[in-house]
Amino acid sequence: MNHSHTAPEGYQISTDPARLDAALVHRWLSEDAYWALGVSREQQDRAIANSLNFGLYRTSTGAQLGYARVVTDLATFAWLCDVYIAPEARGLGLGTALAAATRDHLTPYGLRRVMLATADAHEVYAKVGFEPLAKPEKWMLLGGQ
């Protein structure tokens, strides 16, 4: 199976779960991502195991510099979440590349909806086609805001 996706020069994006550094992903999310602060390693490992994962890597060293996770049935719906770029790699368009890779990976499935939630990166996702909800009054949430 081909796990690779288009990435900026000098970087690779892969869905190969064997390449993920789960400890690093946990550290990033539990210590630096406002939406996942304090998440336990057990919970993060369970999320990784039950999701479609994307890692972004520096080609020259193989070092992981980014991560994204998709929860999906691969038939009708997907939720893009946990998109994270290491602080030292921000500002290079890697978040946009990672979002585009997830979009491109999901396109052949013909999903009715791919959703996400963000407090501060709307412009990143708009570049790859995400839009605000047209009718937010139709949507409901069970759990935290």
Side-chain angles (χ1 to χ4, degrees), residues 23-42:
L24 178 62
V25 169
H26 174 255
R27 190 178 83 232
W28 283 341
L29 297 179
S30 68
E31 296 177 9
D32 190 43
Y34 68 84
W35 63 90
L37 292 174
V39 68
S40 72
R41 175 67 192 267
E42 177 188 8

Side-chain angles (χ1 to χ4, degrees), residues 12-140:
Q12 298 172 323
I13 297 173
S14 174
T15 57
D16 182 354
R19 292 189 68 183
L20 285 178
D21 183 337
L24 178 62
V25 169
H26 174 255
R27 190 178 83 232
W28 283 341
L29 297 179
S30 68
E31 296 177 9
D32 190 43
Y34 68 84
W35 63 90
L37 292 174
V39 68
S40 72
R41 175 67 192 267
E42 177 188 8
Q43 190 175 23
Q44 186 59 49
D45 286 350
R46 196 167 60 246
I48 289 171
N50 291 296
S51 300
L52 172 61
N53 301 279
F54 292 76
L56 184 138
Y57 308 89
R58 187 181 315 276
T59 304
S60 61
T61 64
Q64 187 171 347
L65 296 172
Y67 175 73
R69 185 167 70 85
V70 176
V71 180
T72 183
D73 60 9
L74 295 177
T76 61
F77 180 80
W79 179 266
L80 174 59
C81 53
D82 291 345
V83 179
Y84 186 91
I85 300 296
E88 67 272 17
R90 293 180 185 161
L92 303 173
L94 300 177
T96 300
L98 198 50
T102 63
R103 176 202 60 206
D104 295 348
H105 184 93
L106 295 170
T107 296
Y109 295 101
L111 305 178
R112 292 181 64 201
R113 287 182 187 84
V114 179
M115 296 188 67
L116 64 85
T118 184
D120 59 359
H122 295 81
E123 70 284 349
V124 170
Y125 301 106
K127 289 177 188 175
V128 299
F130 283 90
E131 301 173 343
L133 291 174
K135 295 185 178 187
E137 68 276 7
K138 288 176 54 178
W139 297 90
M140 297 182 74

